[in-house]
């Protein structure tokens, strides 16, 4: 049998440590090695050792006997009656029973939908098909046959836990485990519901209405609360997360909350000026091209872009002008261009900027 370590060494305190120092050291180590928080191999035994040391050093009489006689100090502290959760619960306010039997939120669901640029600009409401777990419509989630009720588990008497006390030369140790019959529920179903076979849950197809706000963009997620899988033990349903995918638009490009449009005009329109129709997300609108417009000029249509997310204002539409050169001319067009070139004279080179 391995030799027992010094209790002061176990808690990491000096022999003249005050009661408060002992208590603080125990709180820190108990939280670190409690089996509910630490799944490492040996954590349970470490936690027992910490509890045993604290049981002695926190009691004035036991501590005095230990200081005088060590581990062989007689019957003053030969029995340590505690469970893995007892002292931990007294310090930290938690109970493993409550944790296992507490209501639990249902699992989330994920779905993706494809939207057009216009739908992302103004927002839209979509119907999303989902396959989710719901409470059984026959037994309302109890798992018991209609007209019957689950009964208290006779093995754990409704506690959901089994406490087994073992006595050794070091004292009594109480081991707490989940009840194998009710699996921590504290109740058993003697007559299961024929529809869900006692699970209290069933899978159903639903169409969920999802409101997509204006201003969303590719890969964003919209959260719909309570439209995921049903919870456990009366817990709330999970949430539905809808991921946005945006289809490529044949007319516009999006840049932030602005949209971009390329407008082609000919030499005459750019030189003389003109008024043309350009498309917007809300239909065509008139745009004035002033005389002398150069290729690459950008005109801004205020408020014709995408709605700013969670706001009422919108981005702009930016129209970039491209003055195109014809690849072929008719005989009449060539004659006109020749006269124009003759009247305008030869071009002059610009000075290179210094």
């Amino acid at each position: 049998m391995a030799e027992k370590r010094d209790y002061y060494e176990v808690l990491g305190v000096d022999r003249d440590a005050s009661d408060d120092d002992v208590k603080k050291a125990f709180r820190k180590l108990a939280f670190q090695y409690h089996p509910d928080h630490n799944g490492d191999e040996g954590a349970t035994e470490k936690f027992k050792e910490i509890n045993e040391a604290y049981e002695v050093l926190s009691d004035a009489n036991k501590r005095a006997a230990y200081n005088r006689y060590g581990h062989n100090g007689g019957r003053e502290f030969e029995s340590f009656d505690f469970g893995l959760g007892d002292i931990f619960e007294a310090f930290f306010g938690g109970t493993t029973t409550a944790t296992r039997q507490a209501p639990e939120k249902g699992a989330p669901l994920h779905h993706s939908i494809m939207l057009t640029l216009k739908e992302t600009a103004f927002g839209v409401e979509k119907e999303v098909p989902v396959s989710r777990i719901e409470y059984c419509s026959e037994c309302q989630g109890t798992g018991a046959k209609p007209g019957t009720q689950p009964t208290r588990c006779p093995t754990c008497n409704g506690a959901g836990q089994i406490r087994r006390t073992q006595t050794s030369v070091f004292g009594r140790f109480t081991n707490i485990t989940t009840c194998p019959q009710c699996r921590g529920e504290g109740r058993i179903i003697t007559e299961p519901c024929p529809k869900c076979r006692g699970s209290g849950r069933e899978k159903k197809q639903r169409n969920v209405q999802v409101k997509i706000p204006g201003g969303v963009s590719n890969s964003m997620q919209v959260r719909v609360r309570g439209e995921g899988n049903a919870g456990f033990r009366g817990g709330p349903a999970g949430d539905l997360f809808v991921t946005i995918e945006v289809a490529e638009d044949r007319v516009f490009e999006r840049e932030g909350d602005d949209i971009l449009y390329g407008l082609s005009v000919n030499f005459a329109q750019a030189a003389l000026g003109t008024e043309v129709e350009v498309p917007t997300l809300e239909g065509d609108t008139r745009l004035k091209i002033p005389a002398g417009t150069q290729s690459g000029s950008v005109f801004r249509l205020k408020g014709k872009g995408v709605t700013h997310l969670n706001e009422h204002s919108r981005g702009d539409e930016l129209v970039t002008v491209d003055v195109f050169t014809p690849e072929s001319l008719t005989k009449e067009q060539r004659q006109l261009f020749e006269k124009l070139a003759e009247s305008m004279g030869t071009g002059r080179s610009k000075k290179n900027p210094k």
Side-chain angles (χ1 to χ4, degrees), residues 216-228:
V216 295
S217 56
N218 204 49
S219 299
M220 276 190 175
Q221 283 191 331
V222 175
R223 181 179 186 176
V224 188
R225 296 184 181 276
E227 293 293 351

Side-chain angles (χ1 to χ4, degrees), residues 197-254:
R197 298 181 180 179
S199 69
R201 300 153 70 82
E202 62 178 328
K203 179 170 282 191
K204 284 193 174 182
Q205 295 288 334
R206 297 285 188 186
N207 290 326
V208 178
Q209 292 296 124
V210 181
K211 189 173 183 180
I212 310 295
V216 295
S217 56
N218 204 49
S219 299
M220 276 190 175
Q221 283 191 331
V222 175
R223 181 179 186 176
V224 188
R225 296 184 181 276
E227 293 293 351
N229 288 319
F232 296 90
R233 296 179 293 278
D239 300 327
L240 170 65
F241 292 89
V242 180
T243 302
I244 305 300
E245 296 179 9
V246 184
E248 185 177 352
D249 194 88
R250 292 184 297 175
V251 178
F252 303 104
E253 289 184 25
R254 180 174 173 178

Side-chain angles (χ1 to χ4, degrees), residues 98-99 101-105 232-236:
T99 300
Q101 294 184 337
E104 183 180 338
K105 187 174 183 178
F232 296 90
R233 296 179 293 278

